[in-house]
Amino acid sequence: MTELDLAPPGPGEARVRLHASGVCHSDLNAIDGTAETRCPAVLGHEGAGVVEEVGEGVSLVPGSRVMLSWLPACGRCDECQRGLGHLCAIAWEGMASGGLLDGRPRLSRDGEPVHHYSFLSTFAERAVVPAACCIPIPDGVPFEIAAIAGCAVATGTGAVWRTAGVRPGDRVAVIGCGGVGMSALLGAVAAGAQPVVAVDVAHAKLAAAEELGATHAVAWAGSAEATADLVRAASGGGVDYAIEATGRPEAALAAFLSTRARGAAVLVGIPAADATITLPALPIPRLERRILGSIYGSSRPDRDFPALLELYRRGRLPLDRLVSRRLPLDAVEDAFAAMRGDDALRVVLDLGGSA
Ligand SMILES: [Zn+2]
Ligand SMILES: [Zn+2]
């Protein structure tokens, strides 16, 4: 671990004592270069903790327990104005800078800037973040649950509820059963989808998916076509929504081929920047098959995150079952190793802090 300097919170910002951080595939994409990231940087973008200090004009009270959103929508740009805060042009531009909303990092080492990751940088004991990223959490919700709810769970459940708009009785498949895919699966089960078909290469993940409510488990059959045939057979002729949570082009093709007429492949996984997908064209008009993109579950954090935690508290969304392992901050490399393996759903870092 390394000690860094952290500037005090400026206007519209808050310093948070982090208690828990999820380890997400996007962090791994930043490490292996799949996604371009300003370096050096502190990774981590699924966090929860306690507000310690706030800057000018911030109404959050120090001592508040909060979960973090990695997308502080500006509320003013064209996308925000049409209700698409998750596509906020200002926030996405700011994210690419590796700084906060003014483009400057608050982290440094020996006077040299160290960049933020998605405004948050939660693989740390403390973070200075835009106050708009802080969503208060109720008592009784563990920090680790609030942390994963802010990325994987919001992304997966939102893809099902917000992007796709799954209704009771809709047929759903989930391709890729990691943290996001499993969250999509929980969202589909909670929404009353039937059947819910889980697809993965790893048998351990398929077994876990069945425990979480998948009605069918399909092991990746070596090709998109062969896998889609199995999904279509399991679902009685194809699904209404196939949620793709791996970012791999062959999985996107499998999602598309798994749908029935008027069905949609919902692409959630982040592909490599130069990836392309080749699809058979005829079924798009002939069967009205569709492709839907989904980022951050099309979520509005201030509205949707408290609802997620309330569903958890009422036992309707068993988010605790997504946490497969807890590690201390200095074992973050072990978390990535677990993620590259087959068995981990969500590894959570315990960042200390008093309860
Ligand atoms: Zn994430
Ligand atoms: Zn905006």
Side-chain angles (χ1 to χ4, degrees), residues 201-232:
V201 291
H203 288 275
K205 286 187 180 173
L206 291 175
E210 287 185 298
E211 282 174 22
L212 291 176
T215 58
H216 301 75
V218 167
W220 181 260
S223 72
E225 290 78 6
T227 304
D229 283 346
L230 295 176
V231 174
R232 294 171 61 76

mmCIF file of all heavy atoms in Angstrom, residues 201-232:
data_model
loop_
_atom_site.group_PDB
_atom_site.id
_atom_site.type_symbol
_atom_site.label_atom_id
_atom_site.label_comp_id
_atom_site.label_asym_id
_atom_site.label_seq_id
_atom_site.Cartn_x
_atom_site.Cartn_y
_atom_site.Cartn_z
ATOM 1 N N VAL A 201 -19.528 -20.032 -18.867
ATOM 2 C CA VAL A 201 -18.577 -21.109 -19.163
ATOM 3 C C VAL A 201 -18.280 -21.922 -17.910
ATOM 4 O O VAL A 201 -17.872 -23.077 -17.997
ATOM 5 C CB VAL A 201 -17.228 -20.576 -19.721
ATOM 6 C CG1 VAL A 201 -17.414 -20.012 -21.107
ATOM 7 C CG2 VAL A 201 -16.633 -19.520 -18.810
ATOM 8 N N ALA A 202 -18.470 -21.319 -16.736
ATOM 9 C CA ALA A 202 -18.044 -21.949 -15.484
ATOM 10 C C ALA A 202 -19.218 -22.659 -14.802
ATOM 11 O O ALA A 202 -20.244 -22.036 -14.509
ATOM 12 C CB ALA A 202 -17.460 -20.897 -14.548
ATOM 13 N N HIS A 203 -19.033 -23.937 -14.529
ATOM 14 C CA HIS A 203 -20.116 -24.692 -13.895
ATOM 15 C C HIS A 203 -20.408 -24.197 -12.487
ATOM 16 O O HIS A 203 -21.554 -24.225 -12.041
ATOM 17 C CB HIS A 203 -19.787 -26.186 -13.928
ATOM 18 C CG HIS A 203 -19.911 -26.754 -15.303
ATOM 19 N ND1 HIS A 203 -21.111 -27.185 -15.820
ATOM 20 C CD2 HIS A 203 -19.000 -26.894 -16.300
ATOM 21 C CE1 HIS A 203 -20.934 -27.595 -17.069
ATOM 22 N NE2 HIS A 203 -19.659 -27.426 -17.393
ATOM 23 N N ALA A 204 -19.369 -23.726 -11.782
ATOM 24 C CA ALA A 204 -19.600 -23.214 -10.421
ATOM 25 C C ALA A 204 -20.531 -22.006 -10.446
ATOM 26 O O ALA A 204 -21.407 -21.853 -9.590
ATOM 27 C CB ALA A 204 -18.267 -22.846 -9.770
ATOM 28 N N LYS A 205 -20.359 -21.154 -11.463
ATOM 29 C CA LYS A 205 -21.223 -19.980 -11.550
ATOM 30 C C LYS A 205 -22.645 -20.376 -11.932
ATOM 31 O O LYS A 205 -23.612 -19.769 -11.468
ATOM 32 C CB LYS A 205 -20.660 -18.983 -12.559
ATOM 33 C CG LYS A 205 -19.435 -18.243 -12.020
ATOM 34 C CD LYS A 205 -18.998 -17.150 -12.959
ATOM 35 C CE LYS A 205 -17.778 -16.445 -12.386
ATOM 36 N NZ LYS A 205 -17.203 -15.478 -13.317
ATOM 37 N N LEU A 206 -22.773 -21.391 -12.773
ATOM 38 C CA LEU A 206 -24.121 -21.845 -13.140
ATOM 39 C C LEU A 206 -24.836 -22.426 -11.930
ATOM 40 O O LEU A 206 -26.038 -22.194 -11.741
ATOM 41 C CB LEU A 206 -24.033 -22.880 -14.265
ATOM 42 C CG LEU A 206 -23.581 -22.314 -15.615
ATOM 43 C CD1 LEU A 206 -23.405 -23.438 -16.629
ATOM 44 C CD2 LEU A 206 -24.585 -21.284 -16.134
ATOM 45 N N ALA A 207 -24.097 -23.150 -11.102
ATOM 46 C CA ALA A 207 -24.711 -23.699 -9.885
ATOM 47 C C ALA A 207 -25.158 -22.562 -8.971
ATOM 48 O O ALA A 207 -26.262 -22.594 -8.403
ATOM 49 C CB ALA A 207 -23.715 -24.608 -9.160
ATOM 50 N N ALA A 208 -24.324 -21.533 -8.850
ATOM 51 C CA ALA A 208 -24.694 -20.384 -8.021
ATOM 52 C C ALA A 208 -25.916 -19.677 -8.598
ATOM 53 O O ALA A 208 -26.809 -19.232 -7.866
ATOM 54 C CB ALA A 208 -23.512 -19.415 -7.918
ATOM 55 N N ALA A 209 -25.968 -19.582 -9.931
ATOM 56 C CA ALA A 209 -27.109 -18.924 -10.576
ATOM 57 C C ALA A 209 -28.402 -19.674 -10.282
ATOM 58 O O ALA A 209 -29.450 -19.065 -10.024
ATOM 59 C CB ALA A 209 -26.873 -18.835 -12.085
ATOM 60 N N GLU A 210 -28.333 -20.987 -10.287
ATOM 61 C CA GLU A 210 -29.536 -21.766 -9.984
ATOM 62 C C GLU A 210 -29.982 -21.549 -8.543
ATOM 63 O O GLU A 210 -31.164 -21.468 -8.250
ATOM 64 C CB GLU A 210 -29.286 -23.245 -10.282
ATOM 65 C CG GLU A 210 -29.241 -23.520 -11.783
ATOM 66 C CD GLU A 210 -29.105 -24.995 -12.123
ATOM 67 O OE1 GLU A 210 -28.073 -25.579 -11.738
ATOM 68 O OE2 GLU A 210 -30.020 -25.545 -12.771
ATOM 69 N N GLU A 211 -28.986 -21.415 -7.639
ATOM 70 C CA GLU A 211 -29.355 -21.138 -6.242
ATOM 71 C C GLU A 211 -30.018 -19.773 -6.091
ATOM 72 O O GLU A 211 -30.829 -19.561 -5.196
ATOM 73 C CB GLU A 211 -28.112 -21.203 -5.350
ATOM 74 C CG GLU A 211 -27.680 -22.619 -5.027
ATOM 75 C CD GLU A 211 -26.365 -22.640 -4.271
ATOM 76 O OE1 GLU A 211 -26.027 -21.616 -3.650
ATOM 77 O OE2 GLU A 211 -25.681 -23.680 -4.334
ATOM 78 N N LEU A 212 -29.664 -18.857 -6.979
ATOM 79 C CA LEU A 212 -30.226 -17.505 -6.900
ATOM 80 C C LEU A 212 -31.529 -17.368 -7.685
ATOM 81 O O LEU A 212 -32.080 -16.278 -7.772
ATOM 82 C CB LEU A 212 -29.207 -16.476 -7.401
ATOM 83 C CG LEU A 212 -27.980 -16.272 -6.504
ATOM 84 C CD1 LEU A 212 -26.993 -15.312 -7.150
ATOM 85 C CD2 LEU A 212 -28.385 -15.761 -5.132
ATOM 86 N N GLY A 213 -32.006 -18.452 -8.270
ATOM 87 C CA GLY A 213 -33.332 -18.393 -8.889
ATOM 88 C C GLY A 213 -33.389 -18.645 -10.376
ATOM 89 O O GLY A 213 -34.482 -18.575 -10.964
ATOM 90 N N ALA A 214 -32.259 -18.928 -11.023
ATOM 91 C CA ALA A 214 -32.315 -19.283 -12.448
ATOM 92 C C ALA A 214 -33.108 -20.577 -12.590
ATOM 93 O O ALA A 214 -32.929 -21.513 -11.809
ATOM 94 C CB ALA A 214 -30.910 -19.455 -13.007
ATOM 95 N N THR A 215 -34.001 -20.623 -13.570
ATOM 96 C CA THR A 215 -34.783 -21.843 -13.781
ATOM 97 C C THR A 215 -34.030 -22.849 -14.636
ATOM 98 O O THR A 215 -34.310 -24.040 -14.588
ATOM 99 C CB THR A 215 -36.118 -21.511 -14.464
ATOM 100 O OG1 THR A 215 -35.842 -20.847 -15.711
ATOM 101 C CG2 THR A 215 -36.977 -20.605 -13.587
ATOM 102 N N HIS A 216 -33.103 -22.345 -15.452
ATOM 103 C CA HIS A 216 -32.309 -23.217 -16.312
ATOM 104 C C HIS A 216 -30.869 -22.733 -16.322
ATOM 105 O O HIS A 216 -30.627 -21.535 -16.221
ATOM 106 C CB HIS A 216 -32.822 -23.206 -17.757
ATOM 107 C CG HIS A 216 -34.247 -23.638 -17.902
ATOM 108 N ND1 HIS A 216 -35.314 -22.843 -17.546
ATOM 109 C CD2 HIS A 216 -34.777 -24.787 -18.376
ATOM 110 C CE1 HIS A 216 -36.438 -23.485 -17.793
ATOM 111 N NE2 HIS A 216 -36.146 -24.675 -18.298
ATOM 112 N N ALA A 217 -29.948 -23.680 -16.480
ATOM 113 C CA ALA A 217 -28.531 -23.330 -16.596
ATOM 114 C C ALA A 217 -28.000 -23.920 -17.898
ATOM 115 O O ALA A 217 -28.215 -25.097 -18.183
ATOM 116 C CB ALA A 217 -27.744 -23.882 -15.410
ATOM 117 N N VAL A 218 -27.346 -23.089 -18.682
ATOM 118 C CA VAL A 218 -26.786 -23.527 -19.964
ATOM 119 C C VAL A 218 -25.286 -23.256 -19.952
ATOM 120 O O VAL A 218 -24.854 -22.112 -19.785
ATOM 121 C CB VAL A 218 -27.462 -22.774 -21.132
ATOM 122 C CG1 VAL A 218 -26.685 -22.984 -22.430
ATOM 123 C CG2 VAL A 218 -28.916 -23.214 -21.287
ATOM 124 N N ALA A 219 -24.500 -24.287 -20.146
ATOM 125 C CA ALA A 219 -23.047 -24.104 -20.234
ATOM 126 C C ALA A 219 -22.701 -23.649 -21.652
ATOM 127 O O ALA A 219 -23.272 -24.141 -22.636
ATOM 128 C CB ALA A 219 -22.334 -25.414 -19.915
ATOM 129 N N TRP A 220 -21.803 -22.665 -21.742
ATOM 130 C CA TRP A 220 -21.368 -22.167 -23.056
ATOM 131 C C TRP A 220 -20.960 -23.356 -23.914
ATOM 132 O O TRP A 220 -20.160 -24.203 -23.493
ATOM 133 C CB TRP A 220 -20.201 -21.202 -22.884
ATOM 134 C CG TRP A 220 -19.715 -20.635 -24.182
ATOM 135 C CD1 TRP A 220 -18.638 -21.048 -24.893
ATOM 136 C CD2 TRP A 220 -20.303 -19.559 -24.919
ATOM 137 N NE1 TRP A 220 -18.514 -20.289 -26.039
ATOM 138 C CE2 TRP A 220 -19.519 -19.374 -26.082
ATOM 139 C CE3 TRP A 220 -21.422 -18.730 -24.726
ATOM 140 C CZ2 TRP A 220 -19.818 -18.384 -27.040
ATOM 141 C CZ3 TRP A 220 -21.710 -17.753 -25.671
ATOM 142 C CH2 TRP A 220 -20.911 -17.593 -26.811
ATOM 143 N N ALA A 221 -21.509 -23.436 -25.127
ATOM 144 C CA ALA A 221 -21.350 -24.647 -25.946
ATOM 145 C C ALA A 221 -20.265 -24.517 -27.006
ATOM 146 O O ALA A 221 -20.253 -25.254 -27.986
ATOM 147 C CB ALA A 221 -22.688 -24.997 -26.593
ATOM 148 N N GLY A 222 -19.373 -23.539 -26.847
ATOM 149 C CA GLY A 222 -18.232 -23.453 -27.760
ATOM 150 C C GLY A 222 -18.430 -22.438 -28.869
ATOM 151 O O GLY A 222 -17.461 -21.922 -29.412
ATOM 152 N N SER A 223 -19.673 -22.162 -29.228
ATOM 153 C CA SER A 223 -19.926 -21.139 -30.248
ATOM 154 C C SER A 223 -21.207 -20.400 -29.887
ATOM 155 O O SER A 223 -22.045 -20.901 -29.125
ATOM 156 C CB SER A 223 -20.092 -21.772 -31.637
ATOM 157 O OG SER A 223 -21.331 -22.463 -31.707
ATOM 158 N N ALA A 224 -21.353 -19.208 -30.438
ATOM 159 C CA ALA A 224 -22.565 -18.425 -30.180
ATOM 160 C C ALA A 224 -23.800 -19.181 -30.674
ATOM 161 O O ALA A 224 -24.822 -19.245 -29.981
ATOM 162 C CB ALA A 224 -22.458 -17.066 -30.875
ATOM 163 N N GLU A 225 -23.678 -19.762 -31.867
ATOM 164 C CA GLU A 225 -24.839 -20.442 -32.458
ATOM 165 C C GLU A 225 -25.284 -21.620 -31.603
ATOM 166 O O GLU A 225 -26.475 -21.787 -31.319
ATOM 167 C CB GLU A 225 -24.506 -20.919 -33.880
ATOM 168 C CG GLU A 225 -24.344 -19.815 -34.907
ATOM 169 C CD GLU A 225 -22.996 -19.092 -34.837
ATOM 170 O OE1 GLU A 225 -22.125 -19.526 -34.050
ATOM 171 O OE2 GLU A 225 -22.823 -18.085 -35.555
ATOM 172 N N ALA A 226 -24.311 -22.461 -31.212
ATOM 173 C CA ALA A 226 -24.656 -23.660 -30.436
ATOM 174 C C ALA A 226 -25.216 -23.275 -29.073
ATOM 175 O O ALA A 226 -26.163 -23.904 -28.574
ATOM 176 C CB ALA A 226 -23.412 -24.543 -30.271
ATOM 177 N N THR A 227 -24.651 -22.231 -28.474
ATOM 178 C CA THR A 227 -25.140 -21.801 -27.160
ATOM 179 C C THR A 227 -26.555 -21.247 -27.278
ATOM 180 O O THR A 227 -27.433 -21.554 -26.461
ATOM 181 C CB THR A 227 -24.190 -20.740 -26.569
ATOM 182 O OG1 THR A 227 -22.873 -21.291 -26.520
ATOM 183 C CG2 THR A 227 -24.625 -20.332 -25.176
ATOM 184 N N ALA A 228 -26.776 -20.432 -28.315
ATOM 185 C CA ALA A 228 -28.114 -19.855 -28.509
ATOM 186 C C ALA A 228 -29.152 -20.954 -28.749
ATOM 187 O O ALA A 228 -30.289 -20.847 -28.269
ATOM 188 C CB ALA A 228 -28.100 -18.864 -29.669
ATOM 189 N N ASP A 229 -28.758 -22.009 -29.459
ATOM 190 C CA ASP A 229 -29.695 -23.127 -29.662
ATOM 191 C C ASP A 229 -30.137 -23.703 -28.328
ATOM 192 O O ASP A 229 -31.314 -24.021 -28.124
ATOM 193 C CB ASP A 229 -29.029 -24.233 -30.500
ATOM 194 C CG ASP A 229 -28.982 -23.879 -31.981
ATOM 195 O OD1 ASP A 229 -29.681 -22.924 -32.389
ATOM 196 O OD2 ASP A 229 -28.235 -24.560 -32.729
ATOM 197 N N LEU A 230 -29.182 -23.830 -27.400
ATOM 198 C CA LEU A 230 -29.519 -24.386 -26.077
ATOM 199 C C LEU A 230 -30.429 -23.434 -25.303
ATOM 200 O O LEU A 230 -31.354 -23.872 -24.613
ATOM 201 C CB LEU A 230 -28.235 -24.660 -25.289
ATOM 202 C CG LEU A 230 -27.307 -25.741 -25.864
ATOM 203 C CD1 LEU A 230 -26.020 -25.840 -25.036
ATOM 204 C CD2 LEU A 230 -28.018 -27.098 -25.900
ATOM 205 N N VAL A 231 -30.162 -22.128 -25.400
ATOM 206 C CA VAL A 231 -31.009 -21.155 -24.692
ATOM 207 C C VAL A 231 -32.420 -21.174 -25.272
ATOM 208 O O VAL A 231 -33.413 -21.156 -24.531
ATOM 209 C CB VAL A 231 -30.407 -19.725 -24.782
ATOM 210 C CG1 VAL A 231 -31.364 -18.697 -24.184
ATOM 211 C CG2 VAL A 231 -29.053 -19.675 -24.081
ATOM 212 N N ARG A 232 -32.497 -21.242 -26.585
ATOM 213 C CA ARG A 232 -33.818 -21.248 -27.221
ATOM 214 C C ARG A 232 -34.590 -22.509 -26.838
ATOM 215 O O ARG A 232 -35.802 -22.460 -26.591
ATOM 216 C CB ARG A 232 -33.671 -21.134 -28.735
ATOM 217 C CG ARG A 232 -33.081 -19.776 -29.167
ATOM 218 C CD ARG A 232 -32.727 -19.764 -30.654
ATOM 219 N NE ARG A 232 -33.904 -19.994 -31.475
ATOM 220 C CZ ARG A 232 -34.832 -19.073 -31.698
ATOM 221 N NH1 ARG A 232 -34.703 -17.872 -31.196
ATOM 222 N NH2 ARG A 232 -35.887 -19.356 -32.422
#
